[in-house]
Every structure is written in structure tokens, then in C-alpha cells.
Amino acid sequence: MKSTLILSCLLMTACQLAPDNDDASEPLITEPPVAFENTYNAENTYRQTVKSFPHIEIASRELPDGVSEKTNITYVQYGRRALQLDLYRPEAEAHGPRPAIVLVHGGGWRSGYRENLTPLAQALAKRGIVSANISYRLAPEAPFPAAIHDVKAAIRWLRKNADRYGVDPERIAVGGTSAGGQIASLTGITAGDPYFDPQAEHSSVSSDVQAIVNIDGLSDFTSEEARKYEDDPSKDPSSAGSWFGGRYAEQTERWHRGSPIYYVHEQMPPIFFLNSAIERFGVGRDEMIEKMEPLGIPYRVEKIENTPHTFWLFDPWLEPTADYVAETLEAFWQ
């Protein structure tokens, strides 16, 4: 009974379960408290991708010169369940606070590790951007919209600690890859919505961002083209179905609420879409831009030709990806 209560509370964003003996020394739970298969990493992806792209190499996670690293920082707790991030900062002296980005890994909403984006976080730090590479609750642990709650908590943590880490609180972006790109878009575009940010009621620190970076993430789950892949009846459940708690016909409202395209508004931050050569991962992008243009929302779209979906994990594409992101954020914030 007690274990059931603990797990139920871990799945509820606002639940804070205190230990029965109030012993603050009890260890934190930094891994998902439920067992599930999680095989999405650069090494496994390489074994599949190299068959079609034999020239690729896994991007190095070795800490580059000029970048400092601080790992395993807890940014939010739900009871004893602790979510952590790794922080990468430029070592060079700055004339003022630096821009920052919160990075959200992909993995179909139900798998993946923050270490998948360590090379990108380091590359952005080399370009002067403080990068927070986060873990968040995946679908087997907590369904939609828990991941959005977590990312907003990470943004709030970074802004709260801006002075400590030399971050400009008025230049914080959120970005992600694949499922993380969709999560980043939804996080950035839903500022002020209590459904996606219940913690706002108890905090004076904003979770708003000043830019969004969506790298090969969907913008619309509800379109026929998206559902052809994300609601495939041969998959039981599909990745999206696992996150939303059911197929489109069963959880239509959640599929709708999880689609960034439905939240376009005139106060939304600028957004950068960076896409692979695989068109299906850009579903909803052009339709979203059609809604943004009359409102004057700044945006940029780039495609890296002849690339697999997971191009950011590999050389020769890591450095161009970091260049695109850094130069776009600089342009947005001029």
C-alpha cells in the first residue's frame, strides 16, 4: 500500500511526499522508480544509422577546453524523486551575464538520456551560451503533461540561479531534439497556462523563455500526416500513444493539447525550426508558421540536407547544428 502511494505521488506534479520519519538524510531517487526499457542512446542509434551514413562518428562527450562542467544538479523534487541537470558554461571572462538554453533530449517521449545532448550542450557553451542539459520524467513514469511541468521547472531553476551561474534571466531559451523539440516548443509557447505550469502558483520566479529551438520535433499531432506515424495501429502503443495515455480516438483532447500549433499567439517567443532531410518530422511546422506570420512572430527555418533524423548525435553535423543555434539566438536577441 505504501509503495503504491509513493508511486502515485511521484506521478502527480504537485505532490510532495515527506518521509514518515522526517529524516532528511534519506537518499534521493534520481532514476525512474519504475522499470522500463530505455535503449535510446547515441551508441545504439549509431549502429542503425551508420548503415546508411558510413562516414558518421558519434560526437565526443569529452569536455572541451574553455568549458566548465557541473553535473548532477537537482533542479526539482517530487517527494524524494529528484530530477537533475548538467550545466556547461564558458570559462572565458564575460563582460556581463550570458544567454542560456535549457536542452531537452528526445526518445519518443518514453526513452532517452540527457547525456545524448552533452556534446551539443558543450558545443553551445563553447559559443558563449550557458547550457543546462536536463533529465525529465518519461512516459512510463509520468504521462503527459508531466514532462512540460519538468521543463518549466528547469527554466525556473535556471532563472532563480541566474546570478550564481552568470546567466542573463532575460535571455533564456528552451530547445530540444525530436520529441524534445516538440516538448520545448510546447513549453515555450504556453507561458502563463496553469495546465502546463502548476508550480507557478507557488513561485514568484517566471518560467517564460525568450526563444524556442525545435530540432526535428513535431508541431501537430492531430494532422492526418502525423497520425499516420504517431497513431499507427500496428504499434500498441505508439510512442505518442504511450505519452498521451491512449490512441488519438481515445485521448483526442490530449493529442490536441500536446500540439504546439494550437497555441500560437502574438506574445509567443521567436522560434527556430532546424530539420533533418526526413520530412515527416517537420509535420505542422509550415501550418504553424502560417499562423505566426500575420502576428509578426520572428522565426527561422533551416534544413540540413542528406541527414538522418538523429543528425545532432553525430559528426559531421554536431558543429553545424551548434553554429545554427548560436547564430539564430544571437539574431533573435539583438
Side-chain angles (χ1 to χ4, degrees):
M1 180 70 176
K2 182 176 178 180
S3 61
T4 302
L5 176 61
I6 291 174
L7 180 56
S8 298
C9 285
L10 288 171
L11 298 180
M12 296 172 57
T13 300
C15 182
Q16 296 292 334
L17 185 65
D20 291 342
N21 60 1
D22 295 324
D23 184 0
S25 66
E26 280 200 59
L28 297 177
I29 301 170
T30 59
E31 298 295 331
V34 291
F36 62 95
E37 184 179 25
N38 189 350
T39 59
Y40 177 58
N41 57 34
E43 291 73 22
N44 288 335
T45 306
Y46 172 82
R47 282 191 279 272
Q48 295 299 318
T49 308
V50 74
K51 299 173 186 177
S52 300
F53 298 87
H55 64 293
I56 66 172
E57 295 181 359
I58 297 174
S60 173
R61 296 192 188 104
E62 184 177 349
L63 189 67
D65 292 339
V67 174
S68 69
E69 173 187 62
K70 187 172 183 180
T71 61
N72 303 322
I73 304 171
T74 296
Y75 70 86
V76 70
Q77 285 183 231
Y78 306 116
R80 285 171 51 214
R81 177 67 167 107
L83 296 177
Q84 297 187 321
L85 60 81
D86 301 331
L87 196 67
Y88 296 90
R89 293 186 293 159
E91 289 183 337
E93 185 175 347
H95 298 294
R98 296 184 182 275
I101 187 168
V102 171
L103 291 174
V104 188
H105 69 79
W109 304 280
R110 59 184 177 185
S111 61
Y113 302 89
R114 69 178 185 269
E115 290 80 8
N116 290 350
L117 291 188
T118 295
L120 180 57
Q122 294 172 343
L124 291 174
K126 282 170 53 180
R127 290 158 174 79
I129 300 171
V130 177
S131 300
N133 190 16
I134 74 167
S135 295
Y136 59 95
R137 290 173 294 172
L138 300 169
E141 178 179 357
F144 172 87
I148 315 301
H149 299 168
D150 298 342
V151 180
K152 287 182 182 284
I155 295 163
R156 182 171 282 114
W157 177 91
L158 187 59
R159 180 166 282 116
K160 182 178 180 180
N161 290 278
D163 288 346
R164 180 178 182 181
Y165 294 112
V167 167
D168 183 348
E170 299 303 318
R171 289 188 296 164
I172 295 177
V174 62
T177 56
S178 191
Q182 176 273 329
I183 290 171
S185 286
L186 193 59
T187 298
I189 204 171
T190 56
D193 187 333
Y195 178 78
F196 292 108
D197 193 10
Q199 298 164 355
E201 182 180 356
H202 309 289
S203 176
S204 61
V205 181
S206 171
S207 65
D208 295 0
V209 295
Q210 287 69 52
I212 300 167
V213 177
N214 182 343
I215 302 177
D216 236 24
L218 294 176
S219 296
D220 183 7
F221 286 102
T222 66
S223 71
E224 183 177 351
E225 181 67 13
R227 287 186 283 116
K228 182 168 67 175
Y229 299 100
E230 302 304 332
D231 198 28
D232 184 345
S234 69
K235 300 174 182 177
D236 187 23
S238 67
S239 294
S242 175
W243 194 40
F244 290 126
R247 297 189 60 195
Y248 178 70
E250 300 165 333
Q251 295 288 351
T252 304
E253 181 182 0
R254 287 189 177 186
W255 285 64
H256 188 283
R257 297 189 83 162
S259 300
I261 192 172
Y262 295 114
Y263 298 91
V264 171
H265 59 95
E266 61 183 357
Q267 298 301 319
M268 67 173 280
I271 184 168
F272 176 37
F273 298 97
L274 180 59
N275 289 110
S276 70
I278 303 176
E279 291 294 331
R280 80 175 184 90
F281 293 101
V283 168
R285 177 197 63 217
D286 295 344
E287 293 79 5
M288 187 169 170
I289 289 171
E290 287 179 7
K291 291 185 173 186
M292 292 164 50
E293 284 185 329
L295 301 176
I297 308 300
Y299 69 90
R300 182 183 183 186
V301 179
E302 295 290 347
K303 178 191 290 187
I304 303 181
E305 297 292 349
N306 193 31
T307 50
H309 170 50
T310 53
F311 62 88
W312 56 85
L313 296 176
F314 307 113
D315 290 327
W317 302 300
L318 174 68
E319 294 298 326
T321 299
D323 285 338
Y324 270 132
V325 173
E327 68 187 35
T328 302
L329 291 180
E330 182 178 6
F332 282 163
W333 291 334
Q334 281 182 345

